[in-house]
Amino acid sequence: MSLNEEVEALRSVPLFAKIEPSRLKLLAFTSERLTFPAGQELFHQGDPGDAAYIILDGQADIVVDTLNGELVVAKVGKYDFVGEIAILIDVPRTATIRAETELTTLAITKDLFFRLISEFPDMSVEIMRELAHRLEATTAQLREAKSAA
Amino acid sequence: MSLNEEVEALRSVPLFAKIEPSRLKLLAFTSERLTFPAGQELFHQGDPGDAAYIILDGQADIVVDTLNGELVVAKVGKYDFVGEIAILIDVPRTATIRAETELTTLAITKDLFFRLISEFPDMSVEIMRELAHRLEATTAQLREAKSAA
């Protein structure tokens, strides 16, 4: 894919919607496009984490290991952002992400992540909203699990 | 409390550590100091939410209602930031916050919150870290609940 095509692709990611094309060129240069076949893990619960991923295409499961086996806690797809917890707070991966279909992602290293959010406040707001949504969904699942106990 | 004393108090809040004193005056003017006696709720699960709170002093429980009664999912205290989920994503309060001791808080309206995070990227990072910590803790509790089931 040419640099211009890559920039065009990045422009359609809502998280980057307000970033000028000239800056997106920098992002296209400094981030890495990674693909995963169906069934492969982007990372496993407990791994150390040094990158987050923006899903450009495909679907994946967020999976948590329990003593009773695996639990799919959420599904993610096009333009979702995953893996930022381990780079925000230096903890091992809190869940496994597994490609459900072939997955195309943009890998964002920790350094690049912090550079992006300090330069683009709108991106921070979107990431906060994403974290808030996931916290709400996980709290709802916990409420349900504790109601059934 | 005089305006200067209020600004001094705000400067000791880590979330505001990098904001210049002149800007903190604006915050002292536009935010409201609210106190809650022990046992009183800041808000109840299911309520609509229009403000977040920075705890300046005291301790509080984060409580979730389940069919088997209340579940204390976390405790918060001095300089913790609570209640931002409902203003980030327009959902009802996902949990109840109840003062465990007398609580002094700074109420931050939705408008002020968005103004602050767009002006102060460092604050966004701290809030993202806080959300990430809570998501990690809630996921761990869910994992445990599902392991016991």
Side-chain angles (χ1 to χ4, degrees), chain A residues 1 6-7 9-11 13 15-16 24 26-36 42 51-57 79-82 103-109 112 116 123:
Chain A
M1 197 180 268
E6 183 80 30
V7 169
L10 293 183
R11 283 187 74 174
V13 179
L15 206 53
F16 303 144
L24 285 182
L26 182 76
L27 182 62
F29 265 127
T30 49
S31 59
E32 197 181 356
R33 203 175 259 252
L34 293 179
T35 60
F36 300 84
L42 279 71
Y53 302 84
I54 292 161
I55 298 175
L56 296 179
D57 205 23
Y79 301 147
D80 281 330
F81 190 56
V82 295
L103 210 64
T104 308
T105 69
L106 198 69
I108 309 274
T109 61
L112 180 60
L116 286 170
M123 228 185 112

Side-chain angles (χ1 to χ4, degrees), chain A residues 4 24-25 41-42 44 54 57 75 78 93 108 116 126 145:
Chain A
N4 279 343
L24 285 182
K25 264 187 203 165
E41 293 179 356
L42 279 71
H44 195 89
I54 292 161
D57 205 23
K75 286 179 175 285
K78 197 164 183 169
R93 297 296 190 187
I108 309 274
L116 286 170
E126 287 312 307

Side-chain angles (χ1 to χ4, degrees), chain A residues 130-140, chain B residues 85 131 134-135 138:
Chain A
E130 174 68 32
L131 287 168
H133 272 297
R134 264 191 271 157
L135 187 53
E136 196 229 348
T138 309
T139 304
Chain B
I85 296 178
L131 287 168
R134 263 190 272 158
L135 187 53
T138 309

Side-chain angles (χ1 to χ4, degrees), chain A residues 45 64-68 71 85 88-89 94 114 124-125 128-129 133 135-136 138 143 146-147 149, chain B residues 45 64-68 71 85 88-89 94 114 117 124 127-129 133 135-136 138 143 146-147 149:
Chain A
Q45 182 179 319
V64 165
D65 291 330
T66 78
L67 294 180
N68 298 312
L71 177 71
I85 295 178
L88 274 169
I89 57 172
T94 56
F114 282 108
S124 299
V125 173
M128 274 185 252
R129 289 205 161 114
H133 272 297
L135 187 53
E136 196 229 348
T138 309
R143 199 156 53 224
K146 287 287 185 177
S147 292
Chain B
Q45 184 180 317
V64 166
D65 291 331
T66 79
L67 294 179
N68 298 311
L71 177 71
I85 296 178
L88 274 168
I89 57 172
T94 57
F114 282 107
I117 58 177
S124 299
I127 291 170
M128 274 184 251
R129 289 205 161 114
H133 272 296
L135 187 53
E136 195 227 349
T138 309
R143 200 155 54 224
K146 287 287 184 178
S147 292

